Amino acid sequence: MSKRVLQGVVVSDACDKTVIVRVERRVMHPVYKKFVTSSKKYAAHDEHSSYRAGDIVQIEESRPISKRKCWVVIAGPADAVPGRRSARPTPSSRRERPYDPDADKPRCRG
């Protein structure tokens, strides 16, 4: 029996060696005969942590790797290289300002 291969978009790469891939399907509604887009998220194994959110990847069914993970990433963008995740800048929630001891005192102009 051949293994299923699906194509989707990486929506999360926060876990170590794991990416969450959203796969969208278009199915026709049985009553209204209109195409409805439905999506499902799969946890896929990414050995080198080289894929980031927004990448379009192909995943293949495999043996169970963990409780939720039974898919493996087999293809993705050409610029995905091992260790690319570590080069991503960390988001800063607020700008750091240097300490100013006179910040609460009124300023005089003159």
Side-chain angles (χ1 to χ4, degrees):
M1 188 166 128
S2 63
K3 297 179 180 181
R4 292 186 292 169
V5 176
L6 302 175
Q7 182 174 351
V9 178
V10 176
V11 293
S12 173
D13 60 339
C15 301
D16 187 33
K17 295 188 179 183
T18 303
V19 291
I20 307 298
V21 180
R22 185 183 68 231
V23 177
E24 292 186 347
R25 290 185 174 81
R26 292 186 59 200
V27 293
M28 184 180 286
H29 192 279
V31 175
Y32 300 113
K33 307 300 183 202
K34 180 178 179 178
F35 282 101
V36 179
T37 303
S38 62
S39 63
K40 186 174 179 181
K41 293 193 286 188
Y42 296 93
H45 184 66
D46 177 18
E47 180 63 33
H48 303 292
S49 298
S50 56
Y51 300 104
R52 293 165 64 182
D55 291 346
I56 298 174
V57 296
Q58 287 185 339
I59 57 175
E60 181 183 42
E61 195 174 25
S62 70
R63 64 178 179 80
I65 299 167
S66 68
K67 180 179 177 180
R68 296 179 48 232
K69 204 163 51 167
C70 57
W71 295 84
V72 176
V73 178
I74 56 172
D79 63 341
V81 294
R84 184 172 75 153
R85 172 185 287 172
S86 61
R88 180 175 48 185
T90 57
S92 168
S93 61
R94 62 180 187 168
R95 294 182 62 179
E96 294 292 328
R97 292 187 173 183
Y99 176 71
D100 185 10
D102 299 327
D104 58 335
K105 296 180 182 175
R107 297 180 189 238
C108 301
R109 293 185 189 170

